Amino acid sequence: MNRYQNLKDIFFQTIEEKCHGIYKQKAYFHSLQVSTLTQEFALKKHLDIELASIIGLFHDYAQFINHSSFDHASRSSQMLLPLLEDFNEEEKKSLLMQLKIIVIKNALMMFIVKF
């Protein structure tokens, strides 16, 4: 999970630079919680825990960095892609696809809860 740790360091550094106050706390708390949940899910389903951890950590990355939820699934994927130089093409494709799916599912759940 060395690649995950490297990306986690980048995540923390970027959040530290781009977010302030309660938004910084929310970014850390929420993203680490989701990362932990995706790790547990991957463990139970015999999936790649490292990739699941990264998906959980970066699922709202663009929202925190850009301070906007507009199209943050695609934007998070685009922002993550240059950071994946240590990953093969299959892993990159899987990460980006799953990242978009988790953000879309979260948006649908939020919509359903509001009504």
Side-chain angles (χ1 to χ4, degrees):
M1 293 246 279
N2 190 31
R3 298 182 301 179
Y4 169 71
Q5 187 59 50
N6 292 339
L7 289 172
K8 188 174 165 184
D9 291 344
I10 292 169
F11 177 88
F12 284 146
Q13 180 180 0
T14 307
I15 294 299
E16 194 64 35
E17 293 170 2
K18 302 284 184 178
C19 296
H20 305 285
I22 192 74
Y23 297 109
K24 184 185 297 187
Q25 292 173 344
K26 181 180 177 184
Y28 288 140
F29 183 73
H30 175 70
S31 298
L32 289 172
Q33 273 192 321
V34 174
S35 183
T36 300
L37 290 172
T38 56
Q39 289 172 16
E40 290 174 7
F41 179 80
L43 187 62
K44 288 179 184 175
K45 298 293 184 179
H46 306 287
L47 301 172
D48 189 315
I49 296 171
E50 181 186 44
L51 297 183
S53 303
I54 294 165
I55 291 165
L57 187 64
F58 281 87
H59 80 283
D60 280 341
Y61 189 60
Q63 182 174 344
F64 295 126
I65 301 306
N66 297 327
H67 311 288
S68 170
S69 61
F70 175 74
D71 196 27
H72 73 282
S74 293
R75 291 178 182 210
S76 293
S77 296
Q78 291 168 358
M79 294 172 79
L80 180 59
L81 187 58
L83 306 176
L84 300 177
E85 59 190 34
D86 293 336
F87 294 80
N88 66 43
E89 290 305 313
E90 183 178 321
E91 290 171 319
K92 287 179 187 179
K93 184 178 178 181
S94 176
L95 274 167
L96 298 178
M97 183 182 359
Q98 295 301 320
L99 184 62
K100 288 179 182 180
I101 289 170
I102 196 171
V103 172
I104 291 167
K105 283 183 180 178
N106 286 344
L108 287 172
M109 290 302 293
M110 293 293 286
F111 180 77
I112 291 168
V113 168
K114 286 183 181 180
F115 294 97

